[in-house]
Amino acid sequence: MTAILSDPGTYLPDMEIIESELLEQVLAAAAAFQPERYSGEDIRRVLNQRECSPEDFAALLSPAAAPFLEEIAQKAQQETSRHFGNSVYLFTPLYLSNYCENYCVYCGFNSRNRIQRSRLNREEMEAEMRAIAATGLEEVLLLTGESPHMADVEYIGEACRLARKYFRVIGLEVYPMDSEAYAYLHQCGADFVTVFQETYDLEQYGKLHLEGRKRVFPYRFYAQERALRGGVRGVGFAALLGLADFRRDALAAGLHAYFLQRKYPRAEISFSCPRVRPIVNHDQPQLLTVTEAQLLQVVMAYRLFMPFAGITISSRESRRFRDHVVGIAATKISAGVEVGIGGHAGKAKGDEQFEIDDGRSVGEIYEMLASRNMQPVMSEYIYLGSEQKKGVAANESFNPPGTTPKK
Amino acid sequence: MNNQQDPWTLGGHAFTSRFILGSGKYSLDLIKAAVEQAGAQMITLALRRASQGGKDNILDYVPPGVTLLPNTSGARTAAEAVRIARLARELGCGDFIKIEVIRDAKYLLPDNYETVKATEILAREGFVVMPYMYPDLNAARDLVSAGAACVMPLAAPIGSNRGICARDFIEILIREIDLPIIVDAGIGKPSQACEVMEMGAAAVMVNTAIATAGDVPVMAAAFKLAIEAGRSAYLSGLGRVLANSASASSPLTGFLREGEESGE
């Protein structure tokens, strides 16, 4: 395990390094961002343009945009409609394990938090998947706490192969890994990888992530690129708003995606827009407040900056907020959410990562969307296999590149 | 002239409607009304949206008698397009296939090189191949050689509703390619659909302009009328268009008559 308060900018010896200037590019842009510099004139200019440049994106995140939320919403809705029509995609997260080796002071799964730890075995995974599939969902997001020892790559791969029996779309939100491991999980059926950078403020990142592999900021930053090199179709980005200056973090998350998409034009891009939430035992430090209006401003800025990107709105948010934001900018919404370990098929056997606000079932979310003239879409995807290793069937067993991090 | 007097064929199938309707981006329960109002005989279908036994299968919403045109959206290479086409055939979607190979997630521009490769493979397998392409004459000729049943150039970036940005290049394809030219993508208004039909396009494919309209079936009907009007205008032959400026008072060729008068 990493020594406490090691340099968060330094890789561990076993970590894959990508030679790139992307990180410096994003951090420099975030550092140069002066939110107070923008005026209403800048916002009006952006609203009259067809395309939105990185500079325009910065303007949309500035306080000057706050009085223009309605105008921005109108434009965001048009862009969303142009790219996605009235389709809204449904999914649910499936938490496989809540063991974690990191000490992130704001997270309910952190290694110092005394919670009920657990992980699903194969039978339990399948029971959960069967229960989720019975609700009509065709997309699942597999999550783990960040413990490569308790939930190694082989374990996650087994979950992916099982999930292929029940779902058409499999996303991953697990700890960052090397591209070879991503390629393995892609062969197992996963095609989308999301990694929250949490905050792009390196100094604050070091104060919030005190132990574990997650403390290594650049390894996390380049996770999406390693996943693309591993062959996945799409990658997701997020800043956990409220850990640091949310405007600067949202700018950095957007630019992170923007620069990576320029490098990998075929990559499908998505954003998640979480705010920090209370956690079990409530021992988190005082974090910054991001209001609903500010969150909406961020979501809409993502939409105008990258109109083709998917945007997921979390069950952390209230039903009122979620119901409206899917009509404006968000394109994907979770339903029937359980954030503990188990709980879809029976009683949860492990504690949850955070508290959710919107616990509506799949049927309830479906009805809500239909009543708002939106078309709920369970999946729009075909798994086309892996370029790396053709001909590997979903249920065929093959060896993962390494079941634990390299020593 | 009504449609019945002006049929056209594609892959050995005769059609009277020249309006190919897209099925994406709007509510499934509007598909039937849109097809009826459009008078469409062919509807596209993203195979990746056709669920295999799940809730809300789009196939259940397509009225009987309409030819399904599955597309390969989601394919980033020729090999992936071929895989999707074969899957469409296995699922009973027929032999028509619209090839879309896109390896740019931002602008969604088609990859002509990979499209030609996929066309060649699928035409050999007996598919009626309808390739979506960037309007390039050389690539279009390659598609003809590869066995395409038509050529489907984009008018503007897909979903943009920006109209006939690629007008000059589409005109070249209409003049030079001896296959039906079906203008696909970017048409934003019925008047633009009318215009490409006046130019001599064989048919028009529309999706986003209808899907994002205030009233989907009504807009489908509007496109139907515009496409028919454009086709009739093309068949009748467009009239002479007079320039706004008056004729020059001293004709440039007047000197010829001066020569005659002087007997030179």
Side-chain angles (χ1 to χ4, degrees):
Chain A
M1 183 174 287
T2 319
I4 290 177
L5 301 182
S6 62
D7 174 10
T10 303
Y11 285 92
L12 297 179
D14 64 341
M15 289 175 165
E16 179 184 350
I17 297 175
I18 289 179
E19 294 299 332
S20 170
E21 293 174 359
L22 188 65
L23 188 150
E24 287 74 19
Q25 219 173 347
V26 169
L27 296 194
F33 180 36
Q34 295 176 273
E36 306 302 330
R37 192 170 68 81
Y38 298 94
S39 68
E41 277 305 299
D42 294 313
I43 308 305
R44 282 191 204 96
R45 179 181 51 75
V46 173
L47 288 171
N48 286 321
Q49 287 175 179
R50 189 193 273 172
E51 304 281 337
C52 182
S53 69
E55 181 63 21
D56 299 333
F57 177 49
L60 289 171
L61 290 169
S62 75
F68 294 89
L69 281 192
E70 180 56 33
E71 290 92 329
I72 296 170
Q74 298 286 343
K75 191 171 169 81
Q77 186 182 46
Q78 284 171 15
E79 288 294 335
T80 306
S81 172
R82 199 160 70 79
H83 287 266
F84 298 91
N86 68 343
S87 299
V88 179
Y89 302 88
L90 270 63
F91 78 106
T92 208
L94 171 55
Y95 284 78
L96 302 171
S97 162
N98 64 2
Y99 288 95
C100 193
E101 292 159 26
N102 298 321
Y103 181 19
C104 313
V105 296
Y106 54 86
C107 177
F109 281 178
N110 86 60
S111 59
R112 300 289 181 96
N113 203 12
R114 296 185 60 159
I115 59 168
Q116 181 67 43
R117 302 281 171 180
S118 180
R119 70 169 210 164
L120 302 177
N121 61 32
R122 185 186 165 88
E123 288 69 35
E124 290 165 336
M125 279 182 204
E126 188 150 14
E128 289 284 292
M129 290 174 187
R130 203 180 293 122
I132 293 168
T135 67
L137 289 177
E138 296 177 11
E139 173 168 350
V140 71
L141 176 67
L142 303 178
L143 297 96
T144 63
E146 299 204 2
S147 172
H149 294 96
M150 293 304 290
D152 60 24
V153 173
E154 190 172 16
Y155 172 81
I156 299 168
E158 184 181 27
C160 291
R161 288 199 297 274
L162 266 180
R164 282 207 63 199
K165 285 170 58 180
Y166 295 95
F167 304 99
R168 293 180 69 188
V169 190
I170 303 167
L172 292 176
E173 203 174 302
V174 300
Y175 50 86
M177 54 190 72
D178 290 355
S179 47
E180 200 183 355
Y182 282 123
Y184 169 74
L185 294 178
H186 177 47
Q187 287 157 21
C188 292
D191 225 352
F192 298 89
V193 168
T194 295
V195 179
F196 288 15
Q197 189 64 30
E198 318 295 14
T199 175
Y200 289 80
D201 178 334
L202 184 54
E203 191 181 334
Q204 180 73 344
Y205 189 93
K207 289 179 187 166
L208 295 172
H209 305 94
L210 301 178
E211 289 176 2
R213 294 171 71 82
K214 186 169 176 179
R215 185 165 170 78
V216 183
F217 182 91
Y219 188 67
R220 195 169 190 85
F221 182 90
Y222 285 110
Q224 286 91 346
E225 184 161 0
R226 293 193 303 276
L228 289 171
R229 289 185 178 192
V232 305
R233 174 179 286 269
V235 284
F237 301 79
L240 182 50
L241 304 175
L243 294 183
D245 175 357
F246 77 92
R247 300 179 197 279
R248 206 172 295 279
D249 270 345
L251 179 80
L255 293 178
H256 187 182
Y258 173 79
F259 287 125
L260 198 63
Q261 201 271 336
R262 286 173 76 90
K263 190 169 177 182
Y264 298 85
R266 67 167 56 183
E268 292 182 11
I269 300 294
S270 62
F271 291 104
S272 299
C273 310
R275 292 187 293 173
V276 284
R277 292 286 299 165
I279 59 172
V280 174
N281 298 336
H282 295 276
D283 59 351
Q284 68 201 114
Q286 197 61 38
L287 297 165
L288 302 169
T289 301
V290 179
T291 66
E292 274 193 346
Q294 289 168 331
L295 177 61
L296 180 63
Q297 184 183 343
V298 168
V299 175
M300 296 192 301
Y302 286 147
R303 168 57 62 228
L304 295 187
F305 183 45
M306 299 183 83
F308 55 92
I311 296 180
T312 302
I313 195 72
S314 164
S315 59
R316 290 170 163 95
E317 302 304 333
S318 70
R319 60 169 64 189
R320 179 181 56 84
F321 187 84
R322 299 176 95 210
D323 290 1
H324 286 89
V325 81
V326 288
I328 300 170
T331 53
K332 189 182 274 193
I333 188 166
S334 52
V337 174
E338 295 283 345
V339 290
I341 307 303
H344 289 282
K347 193 175 180 313
K349 66 174 193 170
D351 281 341
E352 62 271 13
Q353 187 180 19
F354 54 85
E355 294 172 10
I356 63 172
D357 198 322
D358 184 2
R360 280 176 292 177
S361 69
V362 175
E364 287 168 328
I365 294 284
Y366 191 98
E367 289 307 317
M368 177 275 289
L369 292 171
S371 72
R372 301 178 73 86
N373 292 322
M374 309 297 287
Q375 175 64 51
V377 178
M378 294 305 185
S379 75
E380 198 174 88
Y381 166 81
I382 297 174
Y383 177 71
L384 291 168
S386 163
E387 293 295 322
Q388 278 71 32
K389 197 169 183 177
K390 288 181 178 148
V392 177
N395 56 358
E396 191 177 326
S397 67
F398 51 99
N399 295 323
T403 55
T404 55
K406 289 172 276 185
K407 297 290 182 224
Chain B
M1 176 184 293
N2 65 36
N3 286 346
Q4 305 306 320
Q5 296 166 310
D6 180 29
W8 62 299
T9 59
L10 202 57
H13 294 68
F15 297 94
T16 51
S17 164
R18 292 172 180 270
F19 183 4
I20 300 175
L21 185 67
S23 63
K25 302 185 181 178
Y26 57 100
S27 298
L28 295 174
D29 55 14
L30 287 176
I31 287 178
K32 184 168 180 287
V35 169
E36 286 170 0
Q37 292 300 310
Q41 295 167 315
M42 185 179 281
I43 185 166
T44 66
L45 157 79
L47 193 76
R48 60 181 175 168
R49 193 162 177 193
S51 66
Q52 294 143 49
K55 192 177 170 74
D56 277 345
N57 190 344
I58 193 169
L59 291 169
D60 297 336
Y61 290 81
V62 177
V66 175
T67 299
L68 282 179
L69 176 54
N71 69 40
T72 64
S73 68
R76 296 158 296 182
T77 62
E80 290 183 348
V82 167
R83 253 179 278 167
I84 294 174
R86 289 172 182 160
L87 185 58
R89 186 181 255 173
E90 281 171 25
L91 287 173
C93 293
D95 288 335
F96 282 82
I97 190 78
K98 180 183 167 204
I99 299 187
E100 291 184 20
V101 182
I102 292 172
R103 57 188 174 111
D104 174 87
K106 185 172 183 179
Y107 298 104
L108 302 177
L109 293 176
D111 180 330
N112 284 354
Y113 308 104
E114 293 291 308
T115 301
V116 171
K117 281 193 234 168
T119 298
E120 193 166 12
I121 295 166
L122 293 171
R124 241 188 347 248
E125 294 182 10
F127 282 93
V128 179
V129 181
M130 301 173 66
Y132 168 58
M133 56 103 65
Y134 192 87
D136 172 85
L137 179 59
N138 295 309
R141 286 178 173 144
D142 289 344
L143 288 170
V144 175
S145 304
C150 65
V151 174
M152 303 182 77
L154 59 82
I158 196 166
S160 69
N161 286 352
R162 284 188 199 159
I164 319 165
C165 299
R167 175 194 313 276
D168 291 359
F169 306 101
I170 290 173
E171 279 177 341
I172 291 172
L173 298 191
I174 289 171
R175 273 200 300 275
E176 302 298 329
I177 299 296
D178 295 328
L179 285 178
I181 302 297
I182 302 173
V183 175
D184 180 6
I187 297 287
K189 297 189 280 198
S191 55
Q192 293 158 351
C194 182
E195 197 171 345
V196 294
M197 293 305 292
E198 287 172 357
M199 286 159 54
V204 176
M205 143 105 219
V206 183
N207 190 349
T208 304
I210 290 172
T212 58
D215 187 319
V216 169
V218 170
M219 186 57 88
F223 267 97
K224 171 183 188 284
L225 296 172
I227 289 166
E228 289 174 358
R231 178 65 183 171
S232 295
Y234 172 74
L235 291 175
S236 78
L238 294 174
R240 188 165 67 103
V241 178
L242 296 176
N244 286 331
S245 56
S247 299
S249 56
S250 304
L252 295 175
T253 54
F255 72 93
L256 293 173
R257 287 191 295 280
E258 288 167 12
E260 285 168 7
E261 286 165 7
S262 64
E264 288 174 15

